[in-house]
Amino acid sequence: MMVLVSNTAARYMQEKTKKIHLTAAHIRGARGLLHWTVADLAEKSGVSALTITRWENHQAKPRERTRDAVRDVCEQAGIVFTNGGEPGVKLRKTQQ
């Protein structure tokens, strides 16, 4: 059996599987939604506060493993990062 997928559907599925390239704005937004300080994010992610501050102030570009550590801890706390035409950050509703 062969399944045909339109170009639009294929592109959408591909985008859903890609890792979001986190920006300084993503991180600032995530911290704001979570009410976390730089020190909170540093402690939870294992990334130094200086590295986070330099990233957020566009003074340094973090390594991929740094981005992954920050992404992982934020996503575990309920953050959803979006990208594409409208990059953003949102907080997932918690189940009650």
Side-chain angles (χ1 to χ4, degrees), residues 59-76:
Q59 296 172 340
K61 290 185 178 183
R63 295 179 180 176
E64 194 61 33
R65 66 179 174 224
T66 300
R67 290 180 196 274
D68 289 343
V70 169
R71 176 187 299 104
D72 291 346
V73 75
C74 289
E75 288 177 345
Q76 289 170 8

Side-chain angles (χ1 to χ4, degrees), residues 23-95:
T23 66
H26 280 119
I27 302 311
R28 285 190 308 272
R31 286 194 311 101
L33 287 170
L34 294 169
H35 304 285
W36 287 358
T37 64
V38 170
D40 293 333
L41 179 56
E43 180 182 332
K44 294 171 189 305
S45 67
V47 174
S48 78
L50 179 60
T51 296
I52 294 167
T53 300
R54 293 185 69 218
W55 179 6
E56 288 186 355
N57 291 322
H58 304 281
Q59 296 172 340
K61 290 185 178 183
R63 295 179 180 176
E64 194 61 33
R65 66 179 174 224
T66 300
R67 290 180 196 274
D68 289 343
V70 169
R71 176 187 299 104
D72 291 346
V73 75
C74 289
E75 288 177 345
Q76 289 170 8
I79 291 294
V80 177
F81 295 106
T82 61
N83 220 351
E86 296 182 0
V89 182
K90 64 182 182 178
L91 185 58
R92 205 175 30 235
K93 290 183 180 178
T94 57
Q95 296 189 10

